[in-house]
Amino acid sequence: MALNELHWAWQVVIAAMLVVGGVFALVGAVGMLRFPDFYMRMHAPTKATTLGVGGVLVASMAVNWARGNYGVHELLITLFLFITAPVSANLMAKAALHLRSPSKSSPWRSRCRAAARRALRQGQRLHAASK
């Protein structure tokens, strides 16, 4: 059975899943290009691209279900992907921390560090004044 012979509701669901999956994959690819360092780039493939591939696989499952094939191949691939992607990202991040991979500080992070230093200095002054 060809895709254009499916009921219109199935076609809408399949098209929506493919579009959502494609948008997530695009966001993941843009994130890989735009983020400045390794730690920030970890989020793009583990979050957005995983959801993008998951959306495409769910669309493939919907096509098979609409045709009457109730195989579980796509479901098993999706589950395997959703389980292994976060684990592999965690292991890569731990390896980068172990190798002391440099991280580019954001302006927010540097402001927090400056505020912590000021609070520490004020606490030391208060402690010295109370003696």
Side-chain angles (χ1 to χ4, degrees):
M1 174 186 290
L3 286 178
N4 60 357
E5 296 174 4
L6 293 176
H7 191 267
W8 66 270
W10 279 110
Q11 292 179 7
V12 169
V13 168
I14 292 166
M17 300 263 187
L18 287 173
V19 168
V20 168
V23 167
F24 274 113
L26 179 66
V27 168
V30 169
M32 286 285 289
L33 294 174
R34 299 269 328 236
F35 287 148
D37 67 351
F38 175 76
Y39 298 105
M40 291 181 191
R41 286 184 185 148
M42 291 292 294
H43 294 286
T46 56
K47 308 288 189 282
T49 308
T50 302
L51 289 174
V53 172
V56 171
L57 285 169
V58 170
S60 177
M61 267 192 311
V63 168
N64 285 329
W65 287 351
R67 291 179 175 171
N69 300 332
Y70 298 106
V72 293
H73 295 94
E74 292 90 355
L75 180 63
L76 291 175
I77 293 169
T78 304
L79 290 175
F80 180 73
L81 178 72
F82 285 165
I83 290 171
T84 58
V87 172
S88 62
N90 189 7
L91 291 175
M92 286 189 291
K94 284 183 178 185
L97 284 172
H98 179 72
L99 294 173
R100 300 182 192 272
S101 178
S103 174
K104 294 183 180 180
S105 293
S106 66
W108 176 81
R109 190 176 290 168
S110 60
R111 282 192 302 245
C112 288
R113 287 181 184 156
R117 286 187 196 115
R118 281 194 304 271
L120 182 62
R121 277 188 251 129
Q122 288 176 353
Q124 289 172 347
R125 287 183 202 142
L126 290 174
H127 182 67
S130 66
K131 284 185 176 182

